[in-house]
Amino acid sequence: MSTAVVTDPILVSQAAAKLTGTDKTLLNKTTAIPCPDSRLLDPVIHDRTLSNNQWAKRFRRDAAYDAKRWKDNVPTYHMKGVWLEDFIRGPKNTVTAKGMAERTMREMSTWESDGASGIFLDEHDQPLVAYFARRRAGPSPKLSHSAYNYYIPGPKAPSSMGRSSDDLDRAAQEGETVYFDGIKDSVLAKTAVATQTLLHHIDVHKSPRDGRHDKEDHLLQYVKVDSTKDSEDLREDGICRSFIYEGAEYVYEDRTFASERTGTRHLVHAWPDQGSDPTVHGLHPSADMVSNASGALHVQAYFDDTQELAILLGEMFRVSFPAFYTKYEAAFLAGRWTVTDPGPLLGRVLVWKLQVMPHQDGLDAGPSIIFNMGKFTGGECYITDLKLKLLYRPGDVIILMGGALYHGIGPWKPLPGITEDGITPGRVSNVWFFPHSSFQVLENKEPGWALKSAGGLRGTGSELDSSNWNSESD
């Protein structure tokens, strides 16, 4: 009796997630994230480095100017009948609420995506979402407090407001200036190389407690060569990699396609162990920051390589959520582990080529920054509590109250072909956030406090006063 051969990428990924022992070890080794061409990370290529204070100040000045221009010219909308406080008070990530969010995403799957920059507020002028994407030139009309400009969600809402991707493309073709408010191409390309380089060296993993991603989403399959662009055949004749599971052969690489591990990494400067009292155990860098001596060096290099990105995102955060920026910046300086990160958000999650189900960011009490990169189709952002569907292309930036609002990413598929820099296909998510448990500890602490006090374990007097550790701010 012949062995059944399975090549369907979903079935292969599901079977791969169930492997154990040496079979799992071999699979992980042969599907490891490849190291890209790191020349983009060489400061000599750009004839500049952020260690040069003068250049860094100039870069920050330009980033601040671009962020202010977005703030001064972007349209502002209110969401009718929406109050942020209602979402904040509600229970977090319940099965029922997740199910409702999934149904809402399915209902909205045929809706147009909004592709234009914007600010979205609740009925009390509290910021809900800031979107940095494309925008027509010229200032938006300023409305009085009583003259609310409501955003009314619906299947055709973007085109009815001139905010669809087609509207912006048409405006550009007709000679109108269309700005891009997101991450500059050069910075995004450098970030993609820095991220893949880091994860090549420290790998990715999945937490059994992760409710945002399918636990059987273990491998991403992609086509090696883009036949529409690459004239040279890069395929290896005769190559075939597979594994046996429950009597069937699952093929995860051949001449035309390859598979790659999926997973996450959490890079957080300072947070407590889950379920631990920080007055006893203190704060410490996440395990992914300092997993071993070699890994810690690669993490440090990643923060070095993404300083430009951090400055851009920091200025976007400053103008869109100014109150949170002020208090987060002070707390960040108290908890920062590596000085090459300019802040103000204490943690970053690197989501390597996973589908993202609807969820709330359970660790956050304030805004989080999300952006994506890579070669893929699909992947729109659904903020289901607001019935808001954003186009969310690579380089677009969304800053949202992710701990209060349910949000998820639509299904996506990798585009074929590996780039000249060695970047493999697929979608890479980035989530920058400030854990609420860390903020409660770091609020009102002096700069460098976490390093000086070993996360609070070497403090004396008021430093270990439990009333300081349990302060509420949000």
Side-chain angles (χ1 to χ4, degrees), residues 194-195 198 267 298-306 348 350 432:
T195 303
L198 171 66
L267 306 179
H298 288 295
V299 168
Q300 175 70 27
Y302 162 81
F303 278 104
D304 286 343
D305 295 330
T306 57
R348 306 182 188 183
L350 309 179
W432 292 24

Side-chain angles (χ1 to χ4, degrees), residues 70 74-77 116-120 129-134 163 181:
W70 172 88
V74 74
T76 298
Y77 303 97
S117 297
I119 300 172
F120 302 87
V129 179
Y131 187 33
F132 295 77
R134 290 195 293 168
R163 295 179 53 81
D181 296 316

Side-chain angles (χ1 to χ4, degrees), residues 22-161:
T22 56
D23 291 337
K24 188 64 163 281
T25 300
L26 178 61
L27 176 71
N28 289 346
K29 182 177 181 180
T30 53
T31 57
I33 298 167
C35 190
D37 186 341
S38 61
R39 283 179 294 178
L40 266 182
L41 307 180
D42 186 352
V44 174
I45 289 182
H46 302 285
D47 194 29
R48 61 178 183 249
T49 172
L50 277 172
S51 62
N52 182 319
N53 289 332
Q54 184 178 4
W55 184 86
K57 289 178 181 178
R58 185 164 62 248
F59 187 87
R60 184 180 294 277
R61 179 199 64 201
D62 293 344
Y65 172 83
D66 290 340
K68 184 178 184 301
R69 185 177 63 176
W70 172 88
K71 177 70 173 179
D72 291 343
N73 295 287
V74 74
T76 298
Y77 303 97
H78 287 81
M79 307 303 290
K80 194 173 186 64
V82 171
W83 289 270
L84 176 61
E85 191 62 33
D86 292 343
F87 299 115
I88 291 176
R89 286 199 300 260
K92 299 291 185 185
N93 284 312
T94 65
V95 173
T96 300
K98 284 185 176 181
M100 291 178 60
E102 289 176 358
R103 288 193 293 274
T104 300
M105 282 184 63
R106 288 195 295 270
E107 293 169 2
M108 296 173 63
S109 63
T110 58
W111 288 21
E112 291 179 344
S113 298
D114 193 311
S117 297
I119 300 172
F120 302 87
L121 310 176
D122 77 352
E123 291 276 26
H124 291 160
D125 294 333
Q126 294 298 310
L128 301 167
V129 179
Y131 187 33
F132 295 77
R134 290 195 293 168
R135 169 178 52 84
R136 286 172 166 164
S140 296
K142 297 301 179 184
L143 302 176
S144 66
H145 181 76
S146 59
Y148 276 10
N149 185 20
Y150 281 114
Y151 187 100
I152 308 300
K156 300 292 185 181
S159 58
S160 69
M161 304 168 71

Side-chain angles (χ1 to χ4, degrees), residues 235-279:
R235 298 173 297 181
E236 299 177 58
D237 291 336
I239 187 172
C240 182
R241 290 194 172 99
S242 63
F243 60 86
I244 303 296
Y245 179 73
E246 294 187 344
E249 181 183 7
Y250 292 84
V251 179
Y252 60 90
E253 184 174 6
D254 72 1
R255 294 187 310 120
T256 60
F257 69 85
S259 296
E260 190 173 282
R261 289 276 308 283
T262 63
T264 64
R265 281 293 182 181
H266 292 71
L267 306 179
V268 185
H269 289 265
W271 65 358
D273 288 323
Q274 187 172 21
S276 296
D277 183 351
T279 62

Side-chain angles (χ1 to χ4, degrees), residues 144-439:
S144 66
H145 181 76
S146 59
Y148 276 10
N149 185 20
Y150 281 114
Y151 187 100
I152 308 300
K156 300 292 185 181
S159 58
S160 69
M161 304 168 71
R163 295 179 53 81
S164 72
S165 182
D166 288 343
D167 291 323
L168 295 166
D169 289 342
R170 188 161 45 250
Q173 291 167 1
E174 293 173 354
E176 188 175 345
T177 300
V178 176
Y179 291 111
F180 178 58
D181 296 316
I183 302 168
K184 301 175 189 295
D185 287 345
S186 59
V187 175
L188 193 66
K190 185 177 179 182
T191 301
V193 173
T195 303
Q196 186 167 320
T197 299
L198 171 66
L199 297 181
H200 165 76
H201 290 289
I202 70 172
D203 205 357
V204 291
H205 62 79
K206 289 194 182 75
S207 168
R209 298 188 300 270
D210 185 357
R212 308 176 191 189
H213 313 109
D214 188 344
K215 294 178 176 60
E216 294 185 334
D217 190 5
H218 187 77
L219 296 176
L220 173 72
Q221 186 181 112
Y222 61 84
V223 175
K224 296 178 181 180
V225 177
D226 184 351
S227 60
T228 65
K229 294 182 179 180
D230 297 320
S231 58
E232 182 182 358
D233 189 352
L234 302 178
R235 298 173 297 181
E236 299 177 58
D237 291 336
I239 187 172
C240 182
R241 290 194 172 99
S242 63
F243 60 86
I244 303 296
Y245 179 73
E246 294 187 344
E249 181 183 7
Y250 292 84
V251 179
Y252 60 90
E253 184 174 6
D254 72 1
R255 294 187 310 120
T256 60
F257 69 85
S259 296
E260 190 173 282
R261 289 276 308 283
T262 63
T264 64
R265 281 293 182 181
H266 292 71
L267 306 179
V268 185
H269 289 265
W271 65 358
D273 288 323
Q274 187 172 21
S276 296
D277 183 351
T279 62
V280 177
H281 301 287
L283 299 179
H284 55 77
S286 62
D288 291 346
M289 288 274 277
V290 291
S291 56
N292 55 53
S294 174
L297 292 176
H298 288 295
V299 168
Q300 175 70 27
Y302 162 81
F303 278 104
D304 286 343
D305 295 330
T306 57
Q307 286 184 82
E308 296 155 285
L309 172 69
I311 289 174
L312 288 176
L313 296 181
E315 294 303 324
M316 294 177 186
F317 189 63
R318 186 199 299 269
V319 298
S320 54
F321 286 84
F324 275 102
Y325 180 92
T326 299
K327 65 180 185 178
Y328 277 4
E329 182 184 37
F332 171 82
L333 294 175
R336 180 167 59 176
W337 171 258
T338 172
V339 297
T340 57
D341 183 359
L345 295 174
L346 201 66
R348 306 182 188 183
V349 186
L350 309 179
V351 183
W352 189 257
K353 303 182 180 179
L354 289 167
Q355 303 289 343
V356 183
M357 299 183 292
H359 63 279
Q360 293 168 307
D361 297 332
L363 298 177
D364 309 1
S368 53
I369 302 174
I370 62 175
F371 66 95
N372 69 81
M373 52 198 179
K375 291 178 59 179
F376 61 91
T377 60
E380 300 86 357
C381 181
Y382 293 78
I383 306 174
T384 56
D385 286 325
L386 307 180
K387 295 289 185 71
L388 184 60
K389 181 180 179 182
L390 301 178
L391 186 59
Y392 197 30
R393 301 185 307 176
D396 289 358
V397 176
I398 301 173
I399 308 179
L400 77 163
M401 295 296 292
L405 300 172
Y406 276 93
H407 55 286
I409 303 301
W412 58 268
K413 294 181 179 180
L415 290 171
I418 300 171
T419 71
E420 293 180 358
D421 298 318
I423 300 297
T424 53
R427 182 181 182 280
V428 181
S429 304
N430 295 262
V431 183
W432 292 24
F433 69 109
F434 206 117
H436 184 57
S437 58
S438 300
F439 180 78

